[in-house]
Amino acid sequence: MRAIQVTRHGGPDVLAFGTVDDPIPAADEVIVRTSAVGVNYIDTYLRRGLYPSIPPYIPGTEGAGEIVSVGPEVTGFEVGQRVAWCAAPGSYAELVAVPAAQAVVVPDGVDDAIAGSSLLRGLTAHYLLDGSAHPHPEDTVLIHAGAGGVGLILTQMAKRHGLRVITTVSSDEKADLSRQAGADHVLRYGDDLAARVRELTNGLGVPVVYDGVGADTFEQSLAATAVRGIIVLFGASSGPVPPFDLQRLNPAGSLAVTRPTLAHFTATPEELNWRAGEYFEAILDGDVDVRVGQRYRLADAAQAHADLEARKTTGTTVLLPSDS
């Protein structure tokens, strides 16, 4: 099969397109022929060595496609079903061995490009709203990178939950996208960001900040959070937050900071299917419109990574094995 391999830690140029052996399924796995592969920031962290990884390896954990074989211990799946996943290593490839416990059936009406490039973001948005924090209807939340892959979906899911949403963006184009997703107020990054958030909240700040940017926004996130509020730090697209003195949370308003990860909120097949089911339902109801902003051939994965890291992307990014 054709696949991408990370040959060594480094920039996008370490991604090599070539032929490798087909995956050998374990008893509890399904083999899927991929039609769409999701590209996520975590793929770049692993490629650079920011997160542990041992080259050479096939990157990617997310995608969608059709089951072509089923392991002998697998139940609930059959050849020909369309499935999606976001926790199957080696997904930048034409064939992927997906643990059955990590696969979800894609319902009719949701196409593979949407499922394959957005399940990770959709599940993330779900656990951010109902897991790592629990904002109440009519609460105001701040979402950084409101036009990013998670930001657009999180904004729409937040509006579905009855929340008032403030987002941050870096350009006029991204501001328009964020407003189209339902943001009530769209702000630009800057040293006065927290003051502008407090102006929009009668000086109180927001009870929840969703920060997937990290180093560049964390101080403003702290300053924008209401008394007894929480900062949910779920990513670091600008770099990791420097070492932090927890005592600062006391005078700032008895604040809380959490650094969650999706795996802990999809720990069982039941929880995974509940969150995925509610996410797909939101798409089918029309409350979530997933914008597949970029489509690349699988062979052009290096360009996809370069564009992602340069913040040239909006919405989700998908690799298309069939076009390579």
Side-chain angles (χ1 to χ4, degrees):
M1 70 175 181
R2 294 175 298 178
I4 296 291
Q5 284 193 301
V6 175
T7 56
R8 65 187 187 281
H9 290 140
D13 60 299
V14 305
L15 297 174
F17 179 66
T19 302
V20 300
D21 293 338
D22 290 356
I24 299 174
D28 60 350
E29 293 178 334
V30 296
I31 299 297
V32 182
R33 184 171 301 281
T34 55
S35 56
V37 177
V39 178
N40 298 290
Y41 257 108
I42 192 171
D43 302 344
T44 71
Y45 300 158
L46 290 161
R47 189 205 70 225
R48 286 184 283 155
L50 180 61
Y51 288 179
S53 63
I54 302 175
Y57 69 91
I58 299 173
T61 60
E62 181 180 42
E66 183 177 305
I67 294 175
V68 294
S69 66
V70 176
E73 295 180 5
V74 172
T75 59
F77 294 99
E78 59 187 30
V79 171
Q81 278 184 309
R82 289 194 308 132
V83 294
W85 61 91
C86 62
S91 288
Y92 283 26
E94 291 180 314
L95 295 170
V96 181
V98 181
Q102 297 296 332
V104 296
V105 175
V106 178
D108 292 341
V110 178
D111 73 31
D112 286 355
I114 288 174
S117 68
S118 76
L119 181 61
L120 178 64
R121 294 167 172 85
L123 293 173
T124 298
H126 194 283
Y127 89 74
L128 291 175
L129 292 167
D130 189 359
S132 60
H134 298 276
H136 303 291
E138 300 185 5
D139 277 353
T140 300
V141 298
L142 172 62
I143 300 173
H144 288 303
V150 172
L152 290 170
I153 294 173
L154 179 56
T155 297
Q156 293 174 86
M157 294 285 281
K159 296 305 295 183
R160 180 177 169 92
H161 280 69
L163 302 176
R164 181 170 174 250
V165 177
I166 302 171
T167 64
T168 57
V169 298
S170 60
S171 69
D172 289 343
E173 178 189 9
K174 292 186 176 185
D176 289 341
L177 289 172
S178 186
R179 291 190 186 95
Q180 291 168 21
D184 298 280
H185 300 280
V186 181
L187 305 177
R188 296 297 180 89
Y189 301 107
D191 293 339
D192 63 341
L193 174 61
R196 287 180 287 159
V197 170
R198 289 190 178 273
E199 287 176 5
L200 294 170
T201 55
N202 298 319
L204 298 176
V206 293
V208 183
V209 176
Y210 294 111
D211 191 339
V213 176
D216 289 352
T217 53
F218 185 67
E219 289 297 326
Q220 291 297 316
S221 294
L222 285 172
T225 305
V227 170
R228 295 170 58 181
I230 182 170
I231 300 99
V232 182
L233 185 67
F234 66 95
S237 62
S238 68
V241 173
F244 175 73
D245 181 4
L246 291 177
Q247 178 58 30
R248 291 182 57 197
L249 300 174
N250 182 327
S254 297
L255 305 185
V257 178
T258 183
R259 181 59 175 92
T261 188
L262 175 61
H264 296 151
F265 293 88
T266 53
T268 66
E270 291 76 18
E271 186 173 23
L272 170 63
N273 280 281
W274 164 59
R275 294 192 188 280
E278 292 207 346
Y279 172 56
F280 288 143
E281 182 179 351
I283 293 174
L284 293 171
D285 287 347
D287 289 334
V288 172
D289 179 16
V290 178
R291 183 178 187 273
V292 181
Q294 299 74 219
R295 299 170 189 255
Y296 302 84
R297 299 184 308 156
L298 178 63
D300 295 330
Q303 187 61 55
H305 274 222
D307 291 347
L308 187 66
E309 292 179 294
R311 299 190 184 185
K312 294 181 179 179
T313 64
T314 58
T316 68
T317 298
V318 64
L319 303 176
L320 303 172
S322 62
D323 291 347
S324 294

